[in-house]
Amino acid sequence: MSQDLPFTLPALRAAYAAGMRPEAVIALAYARLDATGDDGILIHDARDAALEAARALGAPDDRPLWGIPFVVKDNIDVAGMPTTAACPDFAYLAGADAFVVARLRAAGAICLGKANLDQFATGLVGVRSPYPIPKNALDPAIVPGGSSSGSAVAVAQGIACFSLGTDTAGSGRVPAALNGIVGLKPSLGALSGTGMVPACRSLDTISIFALSTPDAWEVLSVAQAEDPQDGYCRPMPAPRLAPVPPKLKIGVPGRDSLVTDGDAVQAASFQATLTRLRTIGAEVVDCDFTPFHEVARLLYEGPWVAERTAALGARLIERPETLHPVTRQIVSAGLSVTAVDLFRAQYRLADLRRLCTEALAGIDMLCVPTIPRFVTCEEIAADPIGPNSLLGTYTNFVNLLDMCGLAVPCGLRADGRPASVTLLGRAGADAQLAALAMVLEEGPMGATGWDRPPAPVLSGQAGAGELPVFVCG
Amino acid sequence: MSQDLPFTLPALRAAYAAGMRPEAVIALAYARLDATGDDGILIHDARDAALEAARALGAPDDRPLWGIPFVVKDNIDVAGMPTTAACPDFAYLAGADAFVVARLRAAGAICLGKANLDQFATGLVGVRSPYPIPKNALDPAIVPGGSSSGSAVAVAQGIACFSLGTDTAGSGRVPAALNGIVGLKPSLGALSGTGMVPACRSLDTISIFALSTPDAWEVLSVAQAEDPQDGYCRPMPAPRLAPVPPKLKIGVPGRDSLVTDGDAVQAASFQATLTRLRTIGAEVVDCDFTPFHEVARLLYEGPWVAERTAALGARLIERPETLHPVTRQIVSAGLSVTAVDLFRAQYRLADLRRLCTEALAGIDMLCVPTIPRFVTCEEIAADPIGPNSLLGTYTNFVNLLDMCGLAVPCGLRADGRPASVTLLGRAGADAQLAALAMVLEEGPMGATGWDRPPAPVLSGQAGAGELPVFVCG
């Protein structure tokens, strides 16, 4: 029976309440990992330490993540484990937990290991790693998605209850769509970046993968706290949910401008989700995505690549052979970018931000396809850059515009592949997105075959000293 | 009698109410300009157009700046006048008013001409111009201050009732201190930059010089409005004043860390102002200025110089001989700055911002000497860079930290030179600074010899639909 124990927070808590031991849960996690036969998911397998941590938990207590197994993308420090960022030559033994990891472990969560990624978090495909490439949990012909490939696959396979990824240009959302799970990309600055290897420090955030939105939200609630050591960490509204307001105006790409690269199944699937949104009372309005797409192009074609170059430092000059060839090719472009180029692009971004703000006037949030279409491993082998850029169509602009995002499964497409949309809101609106995602999410949870738990009923009443953060715009 | 008419808003309004014609005021303005014998104040003298505008005003109406003469720094467009930025080869005939100029003229103000400046607003001394150098209104041995040299001198000489400057690193505050007038540097984004030649577009703002704080504040109230064309323009609190709250905590550089470059008279003058602050009930506390000074060094020694390089564009490469030699030397440094350098400096700035925020916790505003000491023309001739940097000690960090500032005259120093402090607050706190400055300001108004009008009594009551913006922190 325990072989089928769903790794969701409600199911794990019920099992613990019924007397199950964390050691058994951790053993089950590794049994599942071994059963996948996929040695690309984890770069560092921490089973001995995890079992030890499970034993050390002792009797159950009321900590919110007591005995909950999770994995950490290998560009985030976990004390006592190597951090590689998928570059073996870069590896160092982390002396301390990243700020967010420390909060999760203090809440009782148990780290199973460090997950594979596109090297230095550069990519949306998950195949730019010198380690074995993790297999997409649903279809090995499809890329696992990146850069948080291992983190997403571990959750989609039911190995970890949740995982940490990072998200600069979509790395916390694209793999969620490709593996049929939830990808929560918080507002920039909500989660501390202390102990994370930067990709683009001004645009990075840690992100959360889970099988369901309520689980992802609970993890965010534990992880979020102000960190005085991180200059990019910001005070944020307390992560508290309130029900979806009765009147909600949602901006979407119009049918004529929707980018699905010719995938009619994907286009139909997106329209079906919009129909569902209307069914639950939302007003769906076409929005001009022109400025959003121009912002997306700025990130990948503009001088922000130099932020990745800055993160790699001397390695790019002194030991380029230690880098993945595609990563090297991309990041080298940043060496020749001048500060003048960057200032000019930042001016253009300021102008585009204003245009996007205008496009969002009166709109509560956006709803977009998380990915335009699925991408195969074969395609990426033939062209490592083009399909990768395509995957970022609806994710690239988000952090440059200081928006939050939540990629949520919406059942199956007509061809049986997972449907996924991303809800996008203004900075600080994370709770609004989560409340709607809980109503919207449906269908299989990754590759697990487990039944989706019923959505929690949200109360409109705020507790003492708390305010509901969901305000109808 | 009209020869002595003070060019303050109360005096001009009284004169107009008594039947004086704007043509007479404009004639008086030019008579005063001619009497200075200083042909360095204005680059473009618009007396014919100004007289015509005065005639066209017709009968008095209730517009807030009806018949008020002002001058405009020559890096801001006035329709029908050339804009040179103090670079003759750069000159173009402006087809339209800058956004702010249009608002002032629509309110009835009359532009006397375009004022001299440090070329491309690069400098704090006022002598980096190919045009005749404006003379300091109080002492020709002292630099006029820059970059808004002509704008400050025109007000200090009683030629214009107010003037527009610009302020990136202190150009709207340093010349105010050197000429004994008020320099209001609003929060970034409060005033539109449309129609202004950028120096560092992300850090620039138009600023206001006047003889008194109430006058400067009225001008700001007219000039401020959101401009959808300017990506750096931001919604700001309505410019509405409320009385100084009874408990006010003001951070200052401690006696041991105060930078006056050995000028004991300046140090004593600053302490005298702090005594006055205590007398009016403020709590004065020593603040650690270390992170503020490091931010200041970032601006002048770091990659932000490339923002000036970006503004000059091809000129620096193709026609360097058209630039002032000192300007060319400074701005050329930006050509070799990489985007990687800039990103790293922006990360450092983010960390320093956090340290500065911590230093400001519980503090309502800062009070600093506007300048460490006076600088002579002779000194600058011998070393064009060093004393210029010194002048920016307490101004350079302000825009990088997104703070607002107001330089206010505080009577005379022991040696008869004007005393000046600058109040600094968080973005949006402009009204708090102005309310305190009105209580604090005293002594001569520039070189005019006119009596300072009594400070207005501020009501704590907000009008219908308005809120008092002065909240005790």
Side-chain angles (χ1 to χ4, degrees):
Chain A
M1 144 99 204
S2 79
Q3 288 304 312
D4 294 327
L5 173 66
F7 275 10
T8 62
L9 287 178
L12 282 165
R13 285 170 182 159
Y16 285 138
M20 190 167 182
R21 282 297 306 164
E23 297 91 306
V25 167
I26 298 306
L28 181 54
Y30 289 106
R32 288 176 181 168
L33 173 62
D34 296 342
T36 64
D38 186 345
D39 58 350
I41 299 174
L42 296 186
I43 289 177
H44 177 76
D45 178 327
R47 66 184 71 198
D48 292 342
L51 281 168
E52 173 59 34
R55 273 190 293 270
L57 279 177
D61 58 41
D62 59 359
R63 285 182 289 164
L65 300 177
W66 192 89
I68 305 299
F70 74 116
V71 304
V72 175
K73 186 174 178 178
D74 200 17
N75 60 348
I76 302 170
D77 287 347
V78 179
M81 301 185 194
T83 300
T84 69
C87 175
D89 189 68
F90 174 78
Y92 60 88
L93 191 69
D97 281 344
F99 182 92
V100 162
V101 171
R103 288 187 63 85
L104 297 171
R105 291 172 97 178
I110 297 172
C111 178
L112 301 172
K114 304 293 294 293
N116 207 345
L117 66 153
D118 282 320
Q119 192 177 71
F120 289 109
T122 297
L124 293 171
V125 284
V127 306
R128 297 175 182 168
S129 171
Y131 298 98
I133 302 308
K135 288 181 187 66
N136 183 295
L138 299 166
D139 179 352
I142 299 292
V143 295
S147 63
S148 314
S149 51
S151 297
V153 171
V155 168
Q157 292 283 21
I159 297 162
C161 175
F162 72 91
S163 62
L164 296 183
T166 63
D167 190 314
T168 304
S171 294
R173 291 160 280 160
V174 168
L178 291 168
N179 291 281
I181 61 172
V182 168
L184 191 164
K185 185 216 80 68
S187 298
L188 290 183
L191 295 182
S192 161
T194 299
M196 168 186 165
V197 180
C200 297
R201 190 182 159 198
S202 72
L203 300 174
D204 294 333
T205 177
I206 287 179
S207 68
I208 296 161
F209 295 104
L211 292 171
S212 74
T213 303
D215 282 10
W217 187 256
E218 279 208 57
V219 173
L220 177 71
S221 305
V222 171
Q224 184 177 325
E226 248 194 289
D227 172 10
Q229 298 308 113
D230 176 8
Y232 285 91
C233 195
R234 297 188 288 183
M236 282 283 159
R240 180 165 166 78
L241 297 170
V244 177
K247 287 184 180 178
L248 198 61
K249 198 166 172 181
I250 300 181
V252 302
R255 200 181 285 262
D256 294 339
S257 66
L258 183 69
V259 179
T260 62
D261 198 36
D263 183 343
V265 178
Q266 180 75 340
S269 163
F270 183 63
Q271 298 305 328
T273 300
L274 300 190
T275 301
R276 272 208 68 216
L277 284 171
R278 289 189 192 97
T279 307
I280 60 176
E283 183 187 354
V284 175
V285 295
D286 283 359
C287 187
D288 178 11
F289 272 72
T290 312
F292 296 90
H293 290 317
E294 188 175 341
V295 170
R297 281 193 299 275
L298 265 187
L299 182 64
Y300 264 25
E301 295 164 22
W304 273 268
V305 67
E307 200 158 13
R308 297 180 189 271
T309 314
L312 293 199
R315 170 173 309 278
L316 200 56
I317 310 290
E318 294 170 8
R319 283 185 291 182
E321 73 285 357
T322 63
L323 292 167
H324 189 282
V326 178
T327 313
R328 185 169 67 228
Q329 178 191 340
I330 291 168
V331 182
S332 295
L335 288 170
S336 58
V337 185
T338 69
V340 167
D341 298 331
L342 177 53
F343 274 122
R344 288 187 179 141
Q346 289 179 342
Y347 303 154
R348 181 64 193 148
L349 176 60
D351 291 336
L352 288 168
R353 271 197 184 130
R354 182 162 278 264
L355 293 176
C356 292
T357 300
E358 281 168 19
L360 291 172
I363 287 176
D364 294 291
M365 61 181 80
L366 296 176
C367 178
V368 296
T370 306
I371 53 173
R373 65 164 173 86
F374 288 82
V375 165
T376 65
C377 297
E378 196 180 331
E379 273 182 278
I380 283 292
D383 174 6
I385 307 279
N388 184 92
S389 298
L390 177 69
L391 283 172
T393 303
Y394 288 109
T395 58
N396 273 338
F397 58 82
V398 175
N399 283 333
L400 278 170
L401 293 174
D402 199 13
M403 299 180 82
C404 53
L406 209 162
V408 57
C410 297
L412 298 177
R413 312 193 318 172
D415 61 359
R417 293 197 187 280
S420 172
V421 299
T422 293
L423 305 176
L424 298 170
R426 299 172 184 88
D430 308 74
Q432 297 183 30
L433 308 186
L436 180 60
M438 288 179 194
V439 177
L440 200 60
E441 68 182 4
E442 63 176 2
M445 302 197 296
T448 65
W450 300 326
D451 288 338
R452 184 172 294 278
V457 175
L458 299 178
S459 158
Q461 297 293 330
E466 294 172 310
L467 285 172
V469 292
F470 201 171
V471 177
C472 182
Chain B
M1 143 102 207
S2 79
Q3 289 305 311
D4 294 328
L5 173 66
F7 275 9
T8 62
L9 288 178
L12 283 165
R13 285 170 183 161
Y16 286 138
M20 191 166 180
R21 282 296 306 162
E23 297 91 306
V25 167
I26 300 305
L28 181 54
Y30 288 107
R32 288 176 183 168
L33 173 63
D34 296 341
T36 63
D38 186 345
D39 59 351
I41 300 173
L42 295 186
I43 289 177
H44 178 75
D45 179 326
R47 67 184 71 199
D48 293 342
L51 281 169
E52 175 58 32
R55 273 191 292 271
L57 280 176
D61 58 41
D62 60 358
R63 285 182 288 163
L65 300 177
W66 191 90
I68 305 299
F70 74 115
V71 304
V72 175
K73 186 174 179 178
D74 199 17
N75 59 348
I76 302 170
D77 287 347
V78 179
M81 302 186 194
T83 300
T84 69
C87 176
D89 189 67
F90 174 78
Y92 60 87
L93 190 71
D97 283 341
F99 182 92
V100 162
V101 171
R103 288 187 63 82
L104 298 171
R105 292 172 97 179
I110 297 172
C111 179
L112 301 172
K114 304 293 295 291
N116 207 344
L117 66 153
D118 283 320
Q119 192 177 70
F120 289 110
T122 297
L124 293 171
V125 286
V127 306
R128 297 176 181 167
S129 171
Y131 297 99
I133 302 308
K135 289 182 187 64
N136 183 296
L138 299 166
D139 179 353
I142 299 292
V143 295
S147 62
S148 315
S149 51
S151 296
V153 171
V155 167
Q157 291 284 20
I159 297 162
C161 174
F162 72 90
S163 61
L164 296 183
T166 63
D167 190 315
T168 305
S171 294
R173 291 160 279 159
V174 167
L178 292 167
N179 292 280
I181 62 172
V182 168
L184 190 164
K185 185 217 78 68
S187 299
L188 290 183
L191 295 182
S192 162
T194 299
M196 168 187 166
V197 180
C200 297
R201 189 182 161 199
S202 71
L203 300 174
D204 295 333
T205 177
I206 287 179
S207 68
I208 296 160
F209 296 104
L211 292 171
S212 75
T213 303
D215 282 10
W217 188 256
E218 280 208 57
V219 174
L220 178 72
S221 305
V222 172
Q224 183 176 325
E226 248 194 289
D227 171 10
Q229 298 308 113
D230 176 8
Y232 285 92
C233 196
R234 296 189 287 184
M236 283 280 158
R240 181 167 165 78
L241 297 169
V244 177
K247 288 183 180 177
L248 199 59
K249 197 166 172 181
I250 299 181
V252 301
R255 201 181 285 266
D256 295 340
S257 66
L258 184 69
V259 178
T260 63
D261 198 36
D263 184 342
V265 178
Q266 180 76 341
S269 163
F270 184 63
Q271 297 306 327
T273 300
L274 300 190
T275 301
R276 274 208 69 215
L277 283 171
R278 289 189 193 96
T279 307
I280 61 177
E283 182 187 355
V284 174
V285 296
D286 285 359
C287 187
D288 178 11
F289 271 71
T290 312
F292 295 90
H293 291 316
E294 187 173 342
V295 171
R297 282 193 298 276
L298 265 187
L299 182 63
Y300 263 27
E301 297 165 21
W304 273 268
V305 68
E307 201 159 13
R308 298 180 189 271
T309 313
L312 293 199
R315 171 173 306 278
L316 200 57
I317 309 289
E318 293 171 7
R319 285 187 287 182
E321 72 286 357
T322 64
L323 292 167
H324 189 282
V326 177
T327 312
R328 185 170 65 228
Q329 179 191 339
I330 291 168
V331 182
S332 295
L335 288 171
S336 58
V337 185
T338 69
V340 167
D341 298 331
L342 176 54
F343 275 123
R344 287 186 179 142
Q346 288 179 340
Y347 304 154
R348 181 65 191 149
L349 175 61
D351 290 337
L352 288 167
R353 270 196 184 133
R354 184 162 276 264
L355 293 175
C356 292
T357 300
E358 283 169 18
L360 291 172
I363 288 175
D364 294 292
M365 60 181 80
L366 296 175
C367 177
V368 297
T370 307
I371 53 172
R373 66 165 172 84
F374 288 83
V375 165
T376 65
C377 297
E378 197 180 333
E379 273 181 279
I380 283 291
D383 174 7
I385 307 279
N388 184 92
S389 298
L390 178 68
L391 282 172
T393 304
Y394 288 109
T395 58
N396 272 339
F397 58 82
V398 174
N399 282 335
L400 278 170
L401 292 174
D402 199 12
M403 298 179 82
C404 53
L406 207 163
V408 58
C410 298
L412 298 178
R413 313 195 316 171
D415 61 359
R417 293 197 187 282
S420 173
V421 298
T422 292
L423 304 176
L424 297 170
R426 298 172 185 87
D430 308 72
Q432 299 182 30
L433 308 186
L436 180 61
M438 288 179 195
V439 177
L440 201 60
E441 68 182 2
E442 62 174 3
M445 301 197 299
T448 64
W450 300 326
D451 289 337
R452 184 173 294 279
V457 175
L458 298 177
S459 156
Q461 298 293 333
E466 294 172 311
L467 284 172
V469 292
F470 201 172
V471 176
C472 181

